Amino acid sequence: MAAQTQQTQPLQDDEELCTIEASVVTGFEESARGEAKEKFNVDVKAVRGRITWKVPLNKVNDVLKMGSVDNCKVVVHTVPCFHFTDQHDSLARLQKMVKDIDWEIGLRAWQHVYAFPYPIASRPDVIPSDEDLMDVVIITNLPPPKDKSAKKDKKKGRWGKKKDKIKELKRRILQSKLDDSFQQSPRSPVNEKGDADVKKESDLLASHDEEVGLTDENDLSMSKKDDGSKVNRLAASRAGQHLLKLDSARTLDNHSKPAPEEGGESLRQHNLASEVNLTAGISDEATKQAAMSFTNNSLSPGQGSSADSSLSPVGKKISESEFASIVISRLTSPREPAPAEDGAGGVSPKMSCVTPPPTPIRSIDNPFSNLQGRLTSELLPFLDNSKLPERGDSIQGSRQDKDDNGGIIDAKLPFSAGTAQIESISVDETSSNMPNVPSLSTLATSASTPKTSSSAKELAEDSTNSRQQEDRDKSLEGNDSSKTYKRAAVKKEPDPTKPKFRVTCFRTGDTHAFDSTSAAASFGSALVAYFGWQVDLKNFDLEVILNIDNEEVTVSLALTKMSLHYRNLVAFGPTTLRATICYNMLRLCRIKNGDFVCDPMCGTCAIPIEGALNWVNCFHFGGDIHEKAIERTILNIAAIQEKQKQENKSSLKLDVLQWDIQHLPLRDRCVDVFVSDVPFGHRMGSRSVNPALYSSLLSEMARTARLGARACLLTEDRSSLIKAIQNLGRYWQRRLILNVNIGGLNGYVFLLTRTNFAVAPSSTSWRGDEGQIANEGQDGDELASADSRSVTDSSVETRTETE
Amino acid sequence: MKLLTHNMLTSSVIKGVTKGFPLKIVASKVEVREVDYNEPFIIKTLSKVDWPALHQAANEVGYGEDLPIELGEDFQKDETLLRKIHNALLQVDIIEGELVCPESGRKFPISNGIPNMLLSEHEVSS
């Protein structure tokens, strides 16, 4: 920057502060905070898993040299309370936020770490309007949301799982009951097939008062069709629901006290079958069977097996008509459907924020954008990954063409274009001389278009109507051509003056109406509109991180492409400890200059190496019993010494031995600090030997520990270590236990200090059992006083002995 | 293995051995690696090490000529001496060789700079 004396001159790099957020292994936040405070001399905030503080721009690179943090980023914007509403509004407002963010500091900080050959403008010359920015991108071809219950199940025992099953069944019963009461049923049970079964059902249906909704028109149109099978299906499915309503009461009685395994199973199957019919169109056979099974079930509730057939391909062959009607029926139901996957639909229930929520953004063209948003989220469970075209993935960051809709629902769909598409696609639903389609069904079908384009392929096989096929192909083609067009648009000449970027979104919370992929895609799309940067998910220059934690939104730029814990080692054992964890453990011990630091179970030497690199005025050594560990240690030490040499740095004060901790070949009182990751008993060692192992370890450590020694031990087997410490409480005092996340395991870091109680020297010449040390304890007091003399006398004493 | 480490090692763990310190060094391969000199470290370390053992060990590997038999009172101000001590303690590295117990004669091999101090069953208490 040219030196200017005006007030508008941006601050120099050493004055301008940026906010850095660094991730820390959970449990070590205080330790990392201490390091940041020491190095940067500022206040550091620590929350779970991360620390935040302000750093002048010229010191940004020092952040990456810290030992206790894993990933660093520079925060550019924080919104404490975003007031998330529905999908479209939330995503659109996120996109609008791009304009409001001050990117300057962040970009400058980023450029201190990553040199980009061209200057990156923090503000474009032409600032796009809000409308240009708000081009919401919703990714729909996602795999079904992860079944988190499976993970929870793992932790529960047998009874926990049974309880869950019962809960699940109850919920399904309730839900299907409620669904029935709101479900619309057709007034006209038109049925060309005239099956006896279906007639029976229709009789039942006719006897009920039904609410006639918009579905009627669809049904009418459907009835005009040649293919009556679909009507049959729909009627059957509706009938199924009613039967279910009748049945559920009865089956509930019969299964009031379910032996959860068998009774529950059939009931669940029953419910599943009904749900299947509710939600999906199934092949004729299956539906008929299901319908039959329902009728059968009304007579004999115990038979759940016949429902099996209906369980086959759920969601495989959904036709648009069912789809549309189902969707509409769901929409018009006044309450939300119970299986709320992944934050489907809904405003966040409670807003504890003070600031009033902003006015929600509705797409002007499409007054039903709200519904569309809901549609998408509700459609998610129905959509099957295999059905949708692949190209949905390539959407991120690129603008949506108005005609394009494969895999993505463009919520800004202008009305006319939407209708036009629908006409071409919904041919099989409506006859050619279809009157005005009400807007709601239009919406429904437009929402169903992604399914159409793919299901079109399958239906093309079924359908005999060539016209339909033609039109579907056209729409497919249209999609294809726009697909190629879009690809071409993305693959235009890369502009070297603009950085390549990606957006990564982390989303935590139950109440969001969108998912992280859509948020990332939308945000990226806004960034492209704003800056003109190019998207590259793999070989990116700049990574923008969008962190959504319930109501809090943070935008930051990543400063680390790879976690900082990948350092030092080349050879790894089964339980090698992360460098950042090693660093934090060493920090806990308050190592002073001149200390001797020992890791009696060093494994691949992670801790001594980390110590030797960062605490250079100490001597670090360690030992392990296992041959393989020693081999790997040799490699690691050779590698790190070589690296030091190449960087013209001093060789490390480091040494390793092969020993057995039960018989440490060390003299008494020569170690100041012990730091070790002891075997947990899973991958290394076994739980059964832990108590004995830990006790021998502590006693040998006690013998070889100098006055004022500290020990920092990491284990998962907390109880064994606590017992061992209690056994040797005479020598070791427990100062701190930290709960740390070690690769998902619940680790505990114990900090112990050595008491002044000496281990009797007579017992050190020949290692008896523990009892001997305990017996000798009476002499301990005398020796304790001897020990309290200054340590420099020890050399004098030895000299006198040799004389 | 550095001589500073050797200064801490003892074979007293072996059953029946009363004085296992210091271990005799029989070195077949020795290297000298440069380590940054830090005076406070050396001074503090000297208060912990056993001087005669260090002297003997340094002689055994061939770097003991510069070291006095006794550590005088003013060693802290003698920088040349301190540097020599630094050399002996930290820079000399025994890559291949053996450590021998002074009492029992039991040999502990050193390979790749790492001494193997593992004992067999009969050498330790059962």
Side-chain angles (χ1 to χ4, degrees), chain A residues 592-596 616-619 621 624-627 630 633-634 637 641 649-660 663-668 670-672 700 703 706 764-769 791-795 798-799 802-803, chain B residues 1-19 21 23 33-38 40-41 44-52 70-71 73 86 89-90 93 99 111-119 123-125:
Chain A
K592 300 185 297 292
N593 279 341
D595 274 351
F596 283 23
V616 289
N617 294 323
C618 304
F619 186 64
F621 64 106
D624 201 276
I625 193 174
H626 206 294
E627 188 59 46
I630 296 294
T633 302
I634 295 170
I637 293 183
Q641 298 282 35
K649 289 189 199 160
S650 139
S651 186
L652 297 174
K653 293 210 217 1
L654 183 57
D655 229 336
V656 170
L657 298 93
Q658 191 167 4
W659 67 35
D660 179 355
H663 314 284
L664 275 181
L666 295 173
R667 281 165 56 211
D668 297 358
C670 48
V671 181
D672 292 297
E700 278 297 88
R703 176 182 71 81
R706 292 175 62 86
T764 59
S765 58
W766 177 50
R767 202 72 60 271
D769 53 349
V791 289
T792 47
D793 286 346
S794 60
S795 55
T798 345
R799 266 191 293 147
T802 50
E803 278 167 38
Chain B
M1 185 194 71
K2 299 190 198 305
L3 294 185
L4 179 52
T5 313
H6 164 264
N7 206 268
M8 293 188 276
L9 294 179
T10 172
S11 58
S12 319
V13 289
I14 303 178
K15 190 158 66 172
V17 171
T18 42
K19 194 168 189 305
F21 179 81
L23 297 169
R33 291 205 184 112
E34 198 187 310
V35 177
D36 276 353
Y37 172 71
N38 184 290
F41 176 79
K44 191 165 180 195
T45 308
L46 278 174
S47 61
K48 299 178 188 175
V49 305
D50 183 296
W51 181 260
E70 265 181 40
L71 200 58
E73 299 297 322
H86 164 84
L89 274 178
L90 297 170
D93 214 328
L99 293 169
S111 61
N112 287 313
I114 298 182
N116 185 342
M117 311 298 293
L118 291 177
L119 298 168
E123 285 173 313
V124 297
S125 60

Side-chain angles (χ1 to χ4, degrees), chain A residues 29-156:
Chain A
E29 291 90 354
E30 282 307 309
S31 168
R33 188 163 169 239
E35 190 198 1
K37 261 190 165 164
E38 280 168 21
K39 292 206 167 148
F40 297 97
N41 227 344
V42 282
D43 246 351
V44 179
K45 253 185 13 172
V47 293
R48 184 188 153 96
R50 51 195 164 100
I51 54 172
T52 316
W53 73 108
K54 289 203 192 305
V55 164
L57 286 180
N58 59 346
K59 289 215 181 137
V60 168
N61 273 308
D62 293 345
V63 173
L64 301 181
K65 292 182 194 151
M66 283 175 65
S68 54
V69 297
D70 285 328
N71 279 301
C72 305
K73 48 193 182 182
V74 52
V75 179
V76 291
H77 193 68
T78 318
V79 179
C81 198
F82 196 80
H83 297 292
F84 285 108
T85 54
D86 61 64
Q87 187 173 42
H88 177 88
D89 175 49
S90 307
L91 294 179
R93 276 171 45 222
L94 280 174
Q95 292 182 311
K96 185 162 164 292
M97 199 169 65
V98 169
K99 222 170 59 160
D100 303 327
I101 296 175
D102 180 9
W103 295 94
E104 160 124 19
I105 302 286
L107 286 171
R108 273 168 69 189
W110 181 84
Q111 286 190 296
H112 273 266
V113 178
Y114 296 102
F116 190 70
Y118 298 90
I120 303 177
S122 54
R123 206 170 263 286
D125 298 323
V126 178
I127 297 181
S129 67
D130 280 356
E131 281 66 45
D132 288 338
L133 280 181
M134 296 191 305
D135 184 20
V136 171
V137 176
I138 298 169
I139 311 286
T140 51
N141 59 335
L142 292 169
K146 272 190 225 165
D147 184 15
K148 295 207 177 115
S149 61
K151 237 185 176 182
K152 285 185 200 158
D153 280 351
K154 257 181 161 182
K155 289 189 180 170
K156 294 184 187 155

